[in-house]
Amino acid sequence: MPKILTLCGSLRAASSNRTLLRAAEKIAPVGVVFEHFEGLGDLPHFNPDIEAGPLPAPVADLRARVDAADAILISCPEYARGIPGSFKNGLDWLVGGHELPGKPVALFNASPRASDAQAALRLVLTTMSARVVDEAHIAVALLAGNREADAVATDPELRPILERGLAALLAVIEPPQSG
C-alpha cells in the first residue's frame, strides 16, 4: 500500500490548501494511505547547531514521517510572492537529513495565481534533491468559495484534475522490494 504524506504550507485551520489535500485523500484509489503532517506550527526556528544533538521532538517527528512515506504531496499558499516562512522553516529542517532526497513530490496549488511561490518551492525542493514530479503538478481555484473537502472531491470539474495529479504521483512510486 503506497503511503503519501501531505504537507500543508498554511497554518490556518480553514486553509484552502488543507482542503485540497483532504479532497485528494477522498478520491485516492483503495489501498493508498494518506498521512497528514499537522505539526508545522510546532517546529522550532531552524538552527543548524541543534542538528548536532538530539533533535527536538517535532523535528524528529517530521523527519520520521517523511522517511516512512513513499511520496510527499504538498499544497502551499503564496505569501508576499513567496513560500510562507513557517513552511520554509519546515523544509529547512529536512535539508540536513537523508529522508527527502529522491522522494517523489507532487505540488498541488489551491490558487493558480500563486505561481511565484510554486516556482520558489520547486527550486527549493530540487535543490534539496527531492524528485519533483512535474506531471503531478495541478492548480485549481479554491479561493473563491469556502468549500469542504467532500464538495471539492465530488465537483465534476475539480475531481478529474485531482485524479490526474494523484495518478501521476502514484505512477512514480517504486513498488516495495520483496526479500
Side-chain angles (χ1 to χ4, degrees), residues 173-177:
I173 294 176
E174 302 288 330
Q177 300 295 320

Side-chain angles (χ1 to χ4, degrees), residues 72 91 95 154:
I72 309 295
L91 293 176
V95 169
T154 58

Side-chain angles (χ1 to χ4, degrees), residues 7-12 14-21 40 74-88 91 107-121 140 143:
L7 300 176
C8 180
S10 176
L11 296 177
R12 294 183 60 221
S15 163
S16 56
N17 292 282
R18 185 166 280 105
T19 297
L20 189 58
L21 294 171
L40 185 63
I74 296 173
S75 188
C76 185
E78 180 173 298
Y79 294 154
R81 297 186 70 185
I83 303 167
S86 57
F87 193 68
K88 178 62 169 71
L91 293 176
L107 302 176
F108 280 21
N109 187 348
S111 171
R113 299 180 317 206
S115 59
D116 290 328
Q118 293 297 303
L121 190 53
V140 297
L143 296 179

